[in-house]
Amino acid sequence: MSIEHRTFQIYGRVQGVFYRQSSQQEARRLGLTGFARNNPDGTVTIEAEGPPDALDALLAWCQKGPAAAQVERVEVTPGQLHHYKEFSVRRA
């Protein structure tokens, strides 16, 4: 099974709406590792590692987010593996 690393940059109303916590639940449900954090510019960054199909499913979730979010767009960048042990929520 191949493992990939992807960074998701989420734009829109994504802070103060439980986006990070909800993404943690979704990532864990999908068996992914990595983290979610708020950024000073109002975006959220998610770095995730796992099978490509699970990363694709996370992308589909990110494009909607939790109920109170208003996602404008999601940019995805592949990267090198960091071998995260779990999926966590980080402070900015």
Side-chain angles (χ1 to χ4, degrees):
M1 170 174 66
S2 72
I3 300 296
E4 295 180 3
H5 173 100
R6 296 185 196 166
T7 300
F8 303 85
Q9 190 78 12
I10 302 100
Y11 296 83
R13 193 175 107 197
V14 294
Q15 290 190 13
V17 294
F18 296 100
Y19 199 100
R20 291 176 303 155
Q21 293 84 352
S22 298
S23 67
Q24 179 184 46
Q25 290 175 347
E26 184 65 11
R28 287 179 174 175
R29 186 186 73 77
L30 293 168
L32 298 171
T33 60
F35 67 87
R37 74 161 183 260
N38 285 343
N39 299 309
D41 65 359
T43 62
V44 168
T45 297
I46 295 173
E47 289 196 20
E49 296 181 345
D53 58 339
L55 292 167
D56 291 343
L58 182 63
L59 172 60
W61 181 90
C62 286
Q63 291 169 334
K64 294 183 179 184
Q70 293 179 341
V71 177
E72 293 174 6
R73 73 181 191 278
V74 179
E75 295 176 357
V76 183
T77 308
Q80 297 206 355
L81 291 175
H82 294 274
H83 304 286
Y84 298 113
K85 301 296 182 207
E86 63 180 5
F87 196 96
S88 62
V89 171
R90 294 187 179 175
R91 304 275 180 245

